[in-house]
Structures are given as C-alpha cells and as structure tokens.
Amino acid sequence: MSSGVDAVTADTASMRVSEGATVYVDEAKGHDETGQGTEASPYATALGAMTARGPDVSIMVRKGEGEYEPLSASGVKKAKKLYDLALKKKQKAAELAAQEAERAAQETKKLEESRKIVIEPPAGAPEAKRIKIRTSVENRDRRVKVCGWVHRLRSQKDRMFLVLRDGTGYLQCVLQGPLMQTYDALTLTLESAVEVYGEIKALPEGKTAPDNHELVVDYWVCTGKAPGGDDAITNRISENADPSILADNRHLVLRGETASAVMRVRSAIMTAFRAEFADMGVMEVTPPCMVQTQVEGGGTLFKFDYYGEDAFLTQSSQLYLETCLPAFGDVFCVQESFRAEKSHTRRHLSEFTHMEGEHAFISFDDLLAIIEQLVCGMVDRLLADDKIRQTVEQLNPGFQPPKRPFMRMNYKDAIKYLNEHDILNEEGKPHEVGDDIAEAAERKMTDQLGVPILLHSFPHEIKAFYMKRVPGDERFTESVDLLMPGVGEIVGGSMRMPNIDELMAAYKHEGIDPSPYYWYTDQRKYGTCEHGGYGFGVERLVAWLTNRWTVRECSLYPRWTGRCTP
C-alpha cells in the first residue's frame, strides 16, 4: 500500500520543479492536456496549470479576447482547493490499486495452494446409491450420489452452497472444510457438471431449500467445468437480452427455470392427451412428413427435390389419417407440419407440432363434443398432477380450467358481433359475410367474451376443398375453430366430404389434379361414411396454458421466417 503513496509523492515532487514560474491560462482557447503554459500554448484552467506545474505557480489568465491578467486571490484559492481534492483522489486511487494488487496476489497464492489439496471419499463410508433428484425425498438419511449441473452457487466464509439441476428437479448441496478449498471449488462456475456424494438431511424449521432438505456433501468431483468471465453463461444470455440473441443461444436459454418449465408443461400436455385418446379408444399412427400432395393450399408448401421428383413438407397429416379409419377406426397422430407463409405474428411458426385426430361415423355435433372433451379432459389430467399444477400456476398465476359447455358461435353471428362492437377488418372497414376474419379481430372478440369459443360454419370460399358443406346452406361448411382467450385459434377442424362426386367437383373447383390423390379419393369409393377431424396447434395450446406471449417460447427450437438455427 505504501508503494502507491510513495509514487504519488514522487510524482508531486516532479510537478514542483517549476514552482514560482509564470504560466498562462486561456479559458477559451487553452487545453489542459496539450498546453505548455506559454502564451502561445496556454492551459484551459487554473487546475490544469497547477496539476501540470504544481500548486505554487504564478498564473496569468485570460477570458475571451481580453488581455492576460493575474489570477485573483479567490481564483487561486478555488484552484488550490480543487487541486488538493484531485491529489487526494489520486492518492486514494493509488491505495485502492495497491490493495487490489495485494488481493490479486493473495488470490493467486490461494489458488496455487489449493492445487495441493486432494480430497478422497471418506474411509469406511457406505456405498453411495445413484439417484435422480426427483427421488431425493424418499432417499433422505442415506448416502447417495447425485449428478447434475450447477444451477446456483453461493459461497460463505465457512461453507459453499450449490443448487444442482439434473432435469428431474433441484437439490441444494453444502460443501465445507477441504471440500470447498480445492482448486475446483474455488474456480467453480455456473453450469459446471458435478458429481456429489453425501447424505440428504431435512432442514430445520425456518430454513428453506428445494423440497426442504439439502445434501451434506462428503465427496465431490467436477466432471466438466463451464467457462467464467466474458464467456460465462450469465454474459451469454440474460432476461432482458435481445430476442435474436436469445434465439441464437436457445440451447442455453433452455437451461433456465422458465424455459424448462414451459417445456415440462408441454411434455405433460402430450402425456395427458395420449391418456385421453387411450380412454376414448383412439389409436396413434405416424404419417409421413414428405408428401406430393397439398392440404391447405399450394401457396404455403415447402418444396424440395425428391430423387428428381417434386415433393413437399407436409402441411397436415389429415388426408393420411382419413385413410386409416377403415383399418384402425378412430386415429390420431402427433407430427410436425410445415407452412411456408411469411407471417411474423406471435402465434405463427414455419414448423409446428400438429396433433391431429380423425373419427368415423360421427356428426358435426359429435365432432364439437369430441374437441371439447379432449381439451377439458387433458386439462383435468394435467392439473391432477400436483407438480405440473404448481408449474402451471407458477407460469400462469390464477389459471382456471375452461368450463363446459364451450360457447358455440356461428360464423354469421361472429360477423354480427364484430360489427356491433366496432371491431373492424384489416382495411379499417366493417366485416361482411364472406370475410376471412383476421387474427387481430378474432382475438379481440375472444378476449372480450373471455371464454372458449367453438366458432363454426365458415364460408366454403375461405376453407379447404375437402370440407363438407352445411346441408341446405351449401355456401357454408361444417367447419370449426376453437378460440381461446389470450391466444386465439388453437384448433381447426371440420367434417369431410363423404361423397365421391362432391369431392371430384371440389378438386375441379380448386384446379387440383385428382390423379395424385387417388389413394385419398378411394376412401369415398371403398365404403364411405360420415367422418370428421381436427388439428391442434400444440405450441398455441402451450402458450394458452402457460400464458406465454408468443408460441416461439413454446417450441424446443422454434422455426419462423428467416430463422432455422440453431
């Protein structure tokens, strides 16, 4: 520390070599950094002059275009006060630098000494049982081995606390004595992979940790140390980082508590749906993703070369599901669908998980009832799991399961509602029957009503070619969208045309060559029946349940216009 003060003193002494000399200050044209103190090259301030030449110099000062005059007594007093303050500040900075250098030297010495510390498993300790964190409660008071990543890290004088994450839960671990004095302990960073051994002990009342217990470590190993410094995970990603940075680092974002919680709810949703389908006797099948036919219109197809032939990524598996009905009865699939529409809304993706179902020998009312049962049955199963229910409540405080029956609203009544409530179309005009209701208007209506809506019977001009017409009102179709508050459409479905002649006429109307669809058309030839189906956008469903602003948060690695990495 004294070396820093000596340096300042020596520096001050060198300043005073020119004490008593006359220096010039020009407040308008001078410069404290490059000035020489002469009339031709003056300083800009009296403080600058004293800093360069010492506090006892004789100062001539000029303001504006006037003549140089001696600095007034009050000016000298003020400048000397500022000089003393600057000198003290410089001395303080030197002291702090010296202290920092001393601390760095001590830290270096400590790290070097820590390399000599070697820890070993405690002699005579019982063999550790390898467990996952989710089973830690039932494994209290026995020696266990837990492997995971350092999710949080906190050091005190006599102990170190690690919160480990292994994908099944979080576990607080305590290191003491030599265990926290090793080189690995002193340089441990967030996201490092470790193996810890010890006993899990319940915490006394008043202490808190995940599951109200902690692992008292008796031996540990760092198997993969994460970087610190500029490349530390906290510098790579942060809560308020630019969305493009978060997208580039999605692989790291997924380690966060919120992102991982959303993915856990998504997984639980699919488990609940599969259980609901099983109870309904609906079989799961796996249709192809590479196709040579369209479902939702040619404008949104991703085209690629398939051994010299044109092929596409599927927009929907619906046509294939229809072919399964005579063989397997009611069926469903969970498959990726692709839409090449350059849409940048918060509910659109270029690749999304499509859960689709198809049912035979049903009516349109049956179809609406099936959709309602699937949603409500899935939510009931989800919330019956305490951990998942707590996760949903954490992400979406106050979430309430939808009440049955869902509101059923005819498309024509929706047009009337929009106009009565001054909800305009995209052109700023009232809606008309025949309009494809825009997302914003649809969502505003849904949010105002605040309940799930089965919006049905859309005009055939705005729907797919295969949808069955409403008997007696053929301009409209037996079609439905399920709208949820906060998200909008999460399900689309319809009855399918059962009549082969009607289907052939629909091909012709849309300008579609029926030849590639022979396998689909055959369903109307070999034992046709009334049938219908639906498609759930899984990401939209997750967004509704977890209260996410955009479906991009609800996909493991989301794809949208211009984004196909990582």
Side-chain angles (χ1 to χ4, degrees):
M1 189 181 297
S2 60
S3 61
V5 176
D6 292 342
V8 174
T9 304
D11 195 26
T12 304
S14 67
M15 289 183 196
R16 297 186 174 178
V17 171
S18 302
E19 285 181 6
T22 299
V23 295
Y24 292 85
V25 172
D26 188 328
E27 294 182 355
K29 299 178 180 178
H31 197 288
D32 285 343
E33 297 297 326
T34 60
Q36 300 296 317
T38 63
E39 287 190 65
S41 180
Y43 297 114
T45 65
L47 175 60
M50 289 185 181
T51 300
R53 299 294 187 89
D56 298 322
V57 292
S58 175
I59 298 175
M60 300 292 289
V61 63
R62 179 168 67 180
K63 300 180 180 181
E65 299 297 328
E67 298 293 327
Y68 279 105
E69 296 178 355
L71 182 63
S72 66
S74 62
V76 170
K77 184 177 180 182
K78 181 179 179 181
K80 284 190 175 182
K81 184 177 181 180
L82 292 174
Y83 174 81
D84 289 341
L85 287 173
L87 185 61
K88 289 178 181 178
K89 186 176 180 181
K90 190 171 183 179
Q91 289 174 330
K92 183 65 174 177
E95 290 172 2
L96 291 174
Q99 291 172 3
E100 186 60 35
E102 187 174 342
R103 277 196 297 268
Q106 291 174 349
E107 186 65 26
T108 299
K109 183 179 179 181
K110 185 178 179 181
L111 285 175
E112 289 302 317
E113 291 175 349
S114 72
R115 293 180 184 275
K116 303 173 185 176
I117 299 174
V118 178
I119 57 174
E120 299 285 349
E127 184 178 353
K129 175 187 177 184
R130 168 74 190 279
I131 68 167
K132 292 288 188 180
I133 291 175
R134 65 183 176 83
T135 65
S136 56
V137 172
E138 56 259 43
N139 282 287
R140 287 179 179 175
D141 300 318
R142 67 172 299 170
R143 191 163 186 263
V144 296
K145 171 186 177 182
V146 179
C147 305
W149 290 264
V150 179
H151 188 68
R152 285 194 288 273
L153 176 62
R154 178 167 55 93
S155 292
Q156 295 180 350
K157 186 176 181 180
D158 60 344
R159 66 191 62 197
M160 178 184 289
F161 295 93
L162 314 179
V163 174
L164 291 194
R165 179 190 73 243
D166 73 348
T168 72
Y170 299 90
L171 176 65
Q172 179 168 290
C173 307
V174 186
L175 278 63
Q176 300 179 79
L179 297 178
M180 61 175 290
Q181 296 166 1
T182 65
Y183 182 80
D184 279 342
L186 296 179
T187 59
L188 194 60
T189 50
L190 294 179
E191 294 305 322
S192 294
V194 298
E195 297 175 358
V196 294
Y197 299 75
E199 290 189 11
I200 298 174
K201 298 290 186 181
L203 288 174
E205 199 168 326
K207 302 288 185 178
T208 59
D211 289 324
N212 295 312
H213 59 208
E214 63 187 14
L215 190 152
V216 181
V217 180
D218 60 36
Y219 177 67
W220 73 286
V221 178
C222 180
T223 61
K225 189 168 293 180
D230 292 342
D231 209 28
I233 191 169
T234 49
N235 290 325
R236 291 282 298 276
I237 56 172
S238 63
E239 186 178 351
N240 300 317
D242 185 274
S244 64
I245 293 175
L246 295 178
D248 288 339
N249 289 283
R250 180 69 176 168
H251 59 295
L252 299 179
V253 171
L254 288 170
R255 301 185 182 205
E257 291 181 25
T258 298
S260 62
V262 171
M263 290 298 107
R264 291 188 188 288
V265 172
R266 176 184 168 120
S267 175
I269 286 171
M270 299 316 300
T271 299
F273 266 128
R274 285 188 164 98
E276 194 67 26
F277 278 122
D279 277 1
M280 295 168 65
V282 184
M283 176 179 169
E284 184 171 4
V285 295
T286 308
C289 281
M290 297 187 292
V291 301
Q292 292 185 303
T293 51
Q294 66 184 50
V295 183
E296 301 294 333
T300 64
L301 286 166
F302 282 107
K303 184 178 180 181
F304 65 95
D305 180 271
Y306 187 74
Y307 302 109
E309 296 184 59
D310 289 342
F312 313 96
L313 296 177
T314 187
Q315 301 160 313
S316 167
S317 297
Q318 176 215 314
L319 305 189
Y320 293 97
L321 292 182
E322 288 189 52
T323 70
C324 295
L325 293 176
F328 313 120
D330 299 344
V331 291
F332 81 99
C333 73
V334 179
Q335 189 66 281
E336 298 306 293
S337 286
F338 305 84
R339 303 284 172 86
E341 52 188 324
K342 294 183 178 179
S343 180
H344 291 275
T345 76
R346 61 189 176 101
R347 66 176 196 172
H348 280 90
L349 292 169
S350 298
E351 176 187 6
F352 65 97
T353 303
H354 213 173
M355 189 187 74
E356 299 179 87
E358 205 71 24
H359 300 258
F361 298 103
I362 63 169
S363 67
F364 187 47
D365 283 340
D366 292 334
L367 178 66
L368 300 185
I370 289 169
I371 292 172
E372 183 177 296
Q373 174 59 36
L374 279 170
V375 173
C376 293
M378 177 276 294
V379 173
D380 289 346
R381 292 174 187 273
L382 202 69
L383 300 184
D385 183 311
D386 287 342
K387 282 197 172 182
I388 295 300
R389 177 180 50 77
Q390 291 168 10
T391 304
V392 171
E393 290 174 352
Q394 167 199 331
L395 295 166
N396 190 1
F399 173 79
Q400 294 295 322
K403 294 180 180 179
R404 306 190 219 194
F406 291 174
M407 175 185 284
R408 299 188 181 191
M409 177 183 281
N410 189 287
Y411 165 85
K412 297 174 188 175
D413 293 331
I415 294 294
K416 183 178 179 182
Y417 179 96
L418 293 169
N419 290 334
E420 287 177 347
H421 291 79
D422 297 320
I423 302 174
L424 304 177
N425 64 19
E426 289 180 306
E427 298 174 353
K429 299 178 182 179
H431 287 83
E432 297 180 358
V433 173
D435 285 354
D436 189 358
I437 302 172
E439 173 197 351
E442 187 178 75
R443 194 167 64 242
K444 188 171 184 180
M445 176 183 72
T446 308
D447 290 348
Q448 284 182 0
L449 293 169
V451 294
I453 302 170
L454 287 164
L455 182 60
H456 62 87
S457 304
F458 294 90
H460 75 86
E461 295 92 348
I462 62 174
K463 286 297 180 179
F465 70 91
Y466 50 77
M467 293 187 179
K468 182 184 176 183
R469 306 292 178 90
V470 174
D473 196 1
E474 278 73 16
R475 185 185 169 189
F476 299 90
T477 56
E478 290 190 334
S479 54
V480 62
D481 287 348
L482 174 58
L483 312 178
M484 286 293 189
V487 180
E489 179 194 346
I490 62 171
V491 183
S494 77
M495 295 298 289
R496 321 309 190 187
M497 289 179 177
N499 182 277
I500 190 169
D501 293 331
E502 188 179 8
L503 181 59
M504 295 303 290
Y507 287 140
K508 184 176 181 180
H509 181 269
E510 296 295 325
I512 297 173
D513 178 6
S515 300
Y517 294 84
Y518 72 92
W519 50 273
Y520 178 67
T521 309
D522 273 356
Q523 304 311 305
R524 278 74 180 167
K525 183 177 179 181
Y526 292 89
T528 190
C529 70
E530 293 285 345
H531 64 287
Y534 45 80
F536 283 74
V538 172
E539 287 79 10
R540 292 185 185 183
L541 190 65
V542 175
W544 165 62
L545 268 164
T546 62
N547 193 31
R548 297 301 94 190
W549 171 251
T550 170
V551 293
R552 296 175 185 180
E553 296 181 59
C554 304
S555 173
L556 189 68
Y557 284 95
R559 302 293 188 241
W560 66 89
T561 307
R563 167 67 61 177
C564 199
T565 55

